[in-house]
Amino acid sequence: MLPAEPLDEAPLTAGEAPIGQRSTLFLIVSYRHPDSEQGAFDLEAFERRLLAEGNFRPKRIDDPTLLPHLNVQVQAGRLLRAYEPTATLGNLFDPRARWVFERPPKPQRAAAPASADEADGDESRAPVQKKPSERGRDPGMPFKVVVPPRLYVIETGHVFVVLGVRPTTLTLGAFQDFYTAVVRRGYNHLLPERMPRRKAGRDGETRPHPLVAMAEKAAIKGTTLRDWLTLLVPGLPVEAPIGSWPNPMAVNVLFTEAMPGPADRYRLRLSHGSDQPIEPSQEDCRIEGHKAMWEPSARELCLFSPIGVTWLLWPLDPPGQLGQFDMAVLERYVYKWILVEHERLFLLNLSSQCARLSTRPDARVFGRMRLSLLQYTARFSVGHISSEERHDRFYCGLRAALDIGGLFDEVKAEITEIDEYLSDRRAELLNQVLAFLTLVLTPVGLVIGIFERGTLPAFDFELARLAMPGAWPLWRACLFHGPLWLLVLSAVAGTLGFVRLLGIGTLRSLVARVLRGRGADD
């Protein structure tokens, strides 16, 4: 318990107000397995490889409030699978150890080339490189890991890693600054030299954290949380998926003395620091009717935003189940946030494909994209997720904050418009082919049908004989054969009529398609 406020001191400001010891940030980092980009992600094979590493074990998502059709898919592991850390992995994250998130490193400047005089001088004139001073070093954002990494894998190949952390300073301002630093300002670097060291002997000897040795073995180059977590899951790329927030996102549980004021609610909802001056609008001052705020009860307030969720509870140590609501959020609400975030990433990936292929649309590719959109509608787009009001309101609030409905309509319109354009192109090409058949080949076919075998001269024709001595009889038979001339004239007249009606460019396009050997989908 925190010490009570002395009566003879000035009242605490909003930033200095204490928060509950169970206040937790569940940081969520998203990945996409490379096999999913080619549509070849095998969830069963991924699970076998994951379990062989020995870091995770399957965890059942036991949520009886799910609607029946979703509960069947979740329990069978067809839609979403969860994995919890084994004892080996859990021992790497001692809840008593102090970790530090560092600020993003500054880009190093290239050294200026030395002049000729400096190059010829003695060594005493060479510039001395100073070591960074510990006194002026950024203290970073200290925290403790209270929930080791958990894993959620969706059948599309999207992987989400959840890590539960708590800032070491239990004040509202420190919580806001930690949330802002990690989510917005890029304070998610873990330097090997500042990781908690492990005890190596009875005399106080210590050794580097095991993650440092794992990083050296894997030869990872970065120091972000995203880089470190890839050590625990085989086959994950460091790059963030298309549409993902570059820093970790968060689902927070915050215990306060009372409901925070409008300015603090604004900071917590949109992840702003305690030192940032805020003047909320009249809409943000009101809770009732606000599209990004929801009151589950008289002692709870849920704040939604595109980069995270903050669930406020008061007082500091509420009685009953609310006193341990941080674990309830981890077990029952975090995976619902992951399902909604997956919808957003899925749709943004389709939208990026539309933008990338718009310069040269391919009907076959967009046919697969329409199939993917149908898969999203049938399997992932769920308007309601639970028969329990709290869970369903939370899910619907997330979808509204991320504007999943509007994003779906936008992506559907993009794919539909391009597909209609391709359909028009296919119809235009079909009309061109029909026009060519009608104007050019139909008269030729009529001539051949009338004269049949008499269309060509009656002799054994060989091209080489036309260049041999005594070939004049063959030339005369060809030049003065009426049906052959009629055949040629009908083909020329049909071609001129086709060019007159549709243009020479259309004829060139058809000839180019025939020479390339490609179909109308190109």
Side-chain angles (χ1 to χ4, degrees), residues 14-15 172-173 175-176 179-180 184 252 254 256 258-274 276 278-288 290 292-295 300-305 308-314:
L172 181 59
F175 189 94
Q176 293 172 347
Y179 183 28
T180 303
R184 282 194 178 273
N252 309 322
L254 178 59
T256 59
M259 178 188 293
D264 286 320
R265 292 199 302 265
Y266 188 93
R267 294 188 184 97
L268 290 169
R269 182 170 64 87
L270 298 178
S271 180
H272 291 305
S274 61
Q276 182 168 349
I278 298 295
E279 296 182 3
S281 63
Q282 294 183 358
E283 180 183 1
D284 288 324
C285 291
R286 295 191 303 267
I287 298 177
E288 183 179 0
H290 199 290
M293 299 185 191
W294 165 52
E295 289 185 288
E300 298 174 89
L301 179 64
C302 196
L303 308 175
F304 302 102
S305 76
V309 176
T310 300
W311 201 306
L312 299 171
L313 303 98
W314 58 88

Side-chain angles (χ1 to χ4, degrees), residues 271-398:
S271 180
H272 291 305
S274 61
D275 58 346
Q276 182 168 349
I278 298 295
E279 296 182 3
S281 63
Q282 294 183 358
E283 180 183 1
D284 288 324
C285 291
R286 295 191 303 267
I287 298 177
E288 183 179 0
H290 199 290
K291 61 181 180 180
M293 299 185 191
W294 165 52
E295 289 185 288
S297 68
R299 293 182 297 183
E300 298 174 89
L301 179 64
C302 196
L303 308 175
F304 302 102
S305 76
I307 58 176
V309 176
T310 300
W311 201 306
L312 299 171
L313 303 98
W314 58 88
L316 294 178
D317 189 12
Q321 296 181 353
L322 291 182
Q324 298 180 349
F325 194 70
D326 54 322
M327 297 308 298
V329 168
L330 175 63
E331 299 292 341
R332 299 291 179 86
Y333 292 91
V334 166
Y335 84 90
K336 294 182 175 68
W337 183 94
I338 288 175
L339 289 176
V340 177
E341 175 66 8
H342 169 257
E343 291 186 49
R344 190 180 72 88
L345 294 180
F346 190 95
L347 292 173
L348 288 177
N349 182 60
L350 289 179
S351 179
S352 65
Q353 291 184 39
C354 287
R356 186 171 62 252
L357 298 174
S358 60
T359 56
R360 189 179 180 184
D362 190 327
R364 291 167 294 186
V365 175
F366 278 93
R368 291 193 295 268
M369 293 178 63
R370 287 185 69 95
L371 184 61
S372 298
L373 193 64
L374 178 61
Q375 178 192 15
Y376 165 83
T377 304
R379 296 184 61 81
F380 306 121
S381 179
V382 182
H384 297 275
I385 197 172
S386 176
S387 56
E388 182 70 30
E389 181 182 2
R390 288 172 61 92
H391 296 263
D392 198 59
R393 289 282 298 274
F394 176 80
Y395 178 80
C396 294
L398 286 174

Side-chain angles (χ1 to χ4, degrees), residues 436-481:
F436 186 83
L437 293 175
T438 303
L439 298 176
V440 179
L441 298 185
T442 298
V444 173
L446 290 176
V447 172
I448 295 175
I450 294 174
F451 296 99
E452 296 181 352
R453 294 185 177 181
T455 307
L456 297 177
F459 56 84
D460 295 334
F461 180 78
E462 294 181 5
L463 186 61
R465 295 178 57 187
L466 294 177
M468 296 175 61
W472 170 245
L474 298 179
W475 283 100
R476 185 177 55 186
C478 295
L479 294 176
F480 296 99
H481 191 69

Side-chain angles (χ1 to χ4, degrees), residues 173-305:
F175 189 94
Q176 293 172 347
D177 294 337
F178 186 90
Y179 183 28
T180 303
V182 174
V183 174
R184 282 194 178 273
R185 299 177 181 173
Y187 275 74
N188 55 76
H189 290 259
L190 295 171
L191 302 183
E193 61 271 17
R194 298 194 69 181
M195 281 189 174
R197 298 179 67 86
R198 307 297 294 270
K199 186 176 181 181
R202 297 180 180 179
D203 298 333
E205 298 91 349
T206 60
R207 56 184 173 86
H209 196 275
L211 284 177
V212 177
M214 295 172 61
E216 293 177 353
K217 182 179 180 181
I220 65 171
K221 299 180 180 179
T223 58
T224 64
L225 180 62
R226 176 180 296 276
D227 291 280
W228 290 104
L229 292 177
T230 56
L231 296 174
L232 310 178
V233 184
L236 289 186
V238 178
E239 295 77 15
I242 295 176
S244 176
W245 191 256
N247 302 319
M249 305 175 81
V251 176
N252 309 322
V253 181
L254 178 59
F255 295 87
T256 59
E257 289 183 312
M259 178 188 293
D264 286 320
R265 292 199 302 265
Y266 188 93
R267 294 188 184 97
L268 290 169
R269 182 170 64 87
L270 298 178
S271 180
H272 291 305
S274 61
D275 58 346
Q276 182 168 349
I278 298 295
E279 296 182 3
S281 63
Q282 294 183 358
E283 180 183 1
D284 288 324
C285 291
R286 295 191 303 267
I287 298 177
E288 183 179 0
H290 199 290
K291 61 181 180 180
M293 299 185 191
W294 165 52
E295 289 185 288
S297 68
R299 293 182 297 183
E300 298 174 89
L301 179 64
C302 196
L303 308 175
F304 302 102
S305 76

